[in-house]
Amino acid sequence: MHRFLLKLSSSSTNPLRNSKFQRLILPSLNLFASGSPPPPSANPYSADSFRKSRAFSSKSRALGVRCISSEAGREAIEYDVVIIGAGPAGLSAAIRLKQLCQEKNTDLSVCVVEKGAEVGGHVISGNVFEPLALDELLPHWRQEQAPIEVAASSDKFWFLTKDRAIPLPSPFDNKGNYIISLSQLVRWLGGKAEELGIEIYPGFSASEVLYNASDEVVGIATKDMGISKDGSKKETFQPGVDIKGRVTLFAEGCRGSLSEKIIKKYKLREEVNAQHQTYALGIKEVWEIDESKHNPGEVIHALGWPLDPKTYGGSFLYHMNDRQVALGLVVALNYKNPFLNPYEEFQKLKHHPAIKRILEGGTVLQYGARTLNEGGFQSIPYPVFPGGAIIGCSAGFLNVPKIKGTHTAMKSGMLAAEAAFGALHEGSNMNTYWDSLRGSWVWKELYAARNYRPAFEYGLIPGLAVSAMEHYVLKGKVPFTLKHGKADHEATDLARKCKPIEYPKPDGVLSFDVPTSLYRSNTNHDHDQPSHLRLKDPKIPEKVNLPEYGAPESRYCPARVYEYVEDEEGKPKLQINAQNCLHCKACDIKDPKQNIEWTVPEGGGGPAYSVM
């Protein structure tokens, strides 16, 4: 990061050091300050653009300069608010903070750190978008060229058998919603944030939480760059940077690595007697199909095949614009059979007659996967800790029966921003975030939907019956709250209790092997770096996972990161292909012994989604 930071002299006569606002303005705000528009292909939020930029316009000084200190060879930058993650929640929080500054005629410095090489590059979702939070945040988005164009025009709900799609009454009401690419919407939000003077650092991984002597969070440290696999420093080595904030907001998405540490350290679930979080793995492709089969705005959801009746999950097919459709399968990670392979189940789905007829003759544009929270109301932790708060999917605000979480994530970011502004400018504290959250429509929505997901612990048919009663008759007003079952990793049965599953070979037309799909995700990591996937005990894979659970890590990963190969003695040994990682976090969740720890790789690595 130091390559593109303006280094300040230690001289007391330096006029920048004595600036009123003590702010450092980065090239992110003046990439094209000369007056020339960016080239059409340039992305103003890419790490490469920041690194290559050096020039400052004369306007920079008017905006103020922040000091940079240096401790033990690491640079440190101070902000009022530091936000980890440039997704819907993080950017909504940043934008709301700057809006409040404008309303109150004050100024707070806001920084957003994003591990993806570009804003939106790591963002993937269904996505039938409910614009409620966006209406509140940016009421004029319809007039500002937001990438929200295709209104949902119809809802279909199918129960799939192997050969049939049986229509059922649709429990969904998507009137007023839109079929979008969330990665594109996030890029647009990034532009809105930049217009407000928010500093965005793409391509830098937040690898460590910083604490003060009172055990309060005071920011994050970015990961060192240029470390080889053997731990030695390469010629390109750059130390990480300490980015400190008076308030730190974690918006890392589902199963955020630092967010999880914060939740455990401060016992935030125990604070409000929240249950453990439950998860699902979503696998998605975007196809370009024949125009005669394309029906923009059509929304299809399905239950049943190819999943067995004991495994919760479902599929979706959304007709986007430009002859594109989004196809996906969501598999709850509390499935029991260790031989189940979510990636292969998704390949099977595409051969269902009702799906096949739509895809035939089409082309896959992009592939990706990501875990999502399904714990809902019961699993929300206390989101405030000393020094900041957890927002968005890092806390877990997905509405399972709606299959929507973007609007609730955005609203949580906005509420946290209001609490942070009050704490920094008006003398209140961050606990007002919790109070505001409980008084918001997010809380009411999730409370009404709280019994839907745990009802399926009893199987598909009982789950459908209970959820239908909840949705159509009781409308979330029952006087009890169902509990979740076992944690996802504990739900996995021993291999000897389960039947192996044989999957058909891909045909290369509708179904594909993993390397082909990975290529379509644009995933890339520097191969010469320490693995970001760490085994707490390197002996467990060969001594426990393989003999007792049938090597489940070789199946639940949708990117073939984990595979067993023969060592020099001909014995099976786990090989970790970390360069394949899609950052889905399934391994961190589903490993039976919780032996795999997902940590951030060097900044800029991972998938590069553009239409997901």
Side-chain angles (χ1 to χ4, degrees), residues 112-132:
V112 181
V113 178
E114 165 58 36
K115 65 182 172 68
E118 298 180 356
V119 172
H122 284 185
V123 174
I124 176 173
S125 179
N127 182 295
V128 179
F129 178 68
E130 184 171 333
L132 178 57

Side-chain angles (χ1 to χ4, degrees), residues 17 44 117 125 138 172 225 232-233 236 266 372 390 497 499 604:
R17 186 173 294 281
S125 179
L138 298 168
F172 303 99
M225 305 278 279
S232 62
K233 295 180 181 179
T236 57
Y266 294 108
L372 52 145
I390 299 174
K497 296 182 179 180
K499 183 179 180 181

Side-chain angles (χ1 to χ4, degrees), residues 309-376:
K310 295 181 180 180
T311 301
Y312 179 74
S315 53
F316 61 86
L317 195 152
Y318 306 149
H319 287 250
M320 307 163 72
N321 58 4
D322 299 328
R323 293 168 44 211
Q324 295 176 9
V325 295
L327 175 70
L329 177 69
V330 178
V331 182
L333 287 176
N334 67 342
Y335 65 82
K336 296 181 179 181
N337 189 340
F339 296 108
L340 188 147
N341 186 320
Y343 178 86
E344 296 295 348
E345 296 289 337
F346 178 60
Q347 303 310 308
K348 283 173 60 178
L349 171 69
K350 290 181 284 183
H351 287 274
H352 190 281
I355 305 296
K356 181 179 179 179
R357 65 176 179 80
I358 297 173
L359 301 182
E360 280 184 323
T363 304
V364 183
L365 301 180
Q366 208 153 77
Y367 163 84
R370 185 70 167 92
T371 51
L372 52 145
N373 303 296
E374 288 194 339

Side-chain angles (χ1 to χ4, degrees), residues 440-452:
S440 71
W441 51 260
V442 172
W443 199 259
K444 295 176 183 177
E445 185 175 309
L446 295 182
Y447 180 79
R450 70 195 184 283
N451 286 330
Y452 182 92

Side-chain angles (χ1 to χ4, degrees), residues 12 28 63 73 94 105 111 120 123 128 142 152 160 181 192 255 271 345-346 353 435 454 466 497 499 514 529:
S12 61
S28 59
L63 292 172
N105 194 29
C111 159
V123 174
V128 179
R142 292 173 178 83
L160 299 182
S181 159
K192 292 300 173 184
R255 194 75 171 196
E271 181 79 14
E345 296 289 337
F346 178 60
D435 298 331
V466 172
K497 296 182 179 180
K499 183 179 180 181
V514 172
Q529 64 174 302

Side-chain angles (χ1 to χ4, degrees), residues 48-266:
D48 189 57
S49 295
F50 284 107
R51 289 172 178 146
K52 290 179 179 177
S53 181
R54 294 290 190 276
F56 285 79
S57 75
S58 59
K59 297 178 182 178
S60 296
R61 285 187 60 187
L63 292 172
V65 177
R66 174 173 298 105
C67 296
I68 302 176
S69 63
S70 179
E71 297 179 12
R74 292 175 65 94
E75 291 169 341
I77 321 173
E78 295 183 355
Y79 290 87
D80 292 313
V81 180
V82 175
I83 300 171
I84 316 307
L91 290 173
S92 295
I95 290 169
R96 184 65 189 131
L97 273 163
K98 282 297 188 178
Q99 289 174 338
L100 290 166
C101 288
Q102 291 179 344
E103 292 170 13
K104 302 295 184 179
N105 194 29
T106 188
D107 187 40
L108 293 174
S109 54
V110 181
C111 159
V112 181
V113 178
E114 165 58 36
K115 65 182 172 68
E118 298 180 356
V119 172
H122 284 185
V123 174
I124 176 173
S125 179
N127 182 295
V128 179
F129 178 68
E130 184 171 333
L132 178 57
L134 185 60
D135 285 338
E136 296 179 6
L137 181 66
L138 298 168
H140 304 295
W141 61 266
R142 292 173 178 83
Q143 291 79 47
E144 297 181 6
Q145 298 182 322
I148 304 174
E149 301 170 353
V150 181
S153 58
S154 64
D155 274 301
K156 294 181 180 179
F157 188 46
W158 294 341
F159 181 81
L160 299 182
T161 64
K162 185 176 181 180
D163 301 310
R164 295 182 59 197
I166 303 170
L168 297 176
S170 177
F172 303 99
D173 180 11
N174 282 304
K175 184 178 180 180
N177 297 334
Y178 297 83
I179 301 172
I180 68 166
S181 159
L182 188 58
S183 57
Q184 292 178 353
L185 176 60
V186 165
R187 283 187 177 85
W188 181 82
L189 286 172
K192 292 300 173 184
E194 189 266 350
E195 290 172 8
L196 290 168
I198 294 157
E199 299 172 15
I200 305 175
Y201 298 164
F204 293 93
S205 298
S207 62
E208 180 185 352
V209 182
L210 301 178
Y211 302 93
N212 63 14
S214 300
D215 218 22
E216 299 168 330
V217 174
V218 293
I220 59 92
T222 65
K223 191 177 184 71
D224 290 345
M225 305 278 279
I227 302 291
S228 64
K229 274 187 176 181
D230 63 10
S232 62
K233 295 180 181 179
K234 297 187 282 189
E235 290 184 1
T236 57
F237 173 76
Q238 296 177 56
V241 179
D242 292 347
I243 303 180
K244 298 182 178 181
R246 296 163 65 192
V247 172
T248 304
L249 302 179
F250 288 89
E252 301 172 285
C254 177
R255 194 75 171 196
S257 52
L258 297 186
S259 303
E260 289 297 308
K261 292 181 185 298
I262 292 286
I263 290 172
K264 291 175 183 176
K265 177 180 176 65
Y266 294 108

Side-chain angles (χ1 to χ4, degrees), residues 537-547 564 591 593 595:
D537 183 345
K539 297 179 181 179
I540 283 182
E542 292 82 15
K543 290 191 173 182
V544 179
N545 284 11
L546 179 60
Y564 284 85
D591 185 72
K593 298 301 179 182
N595 188 47

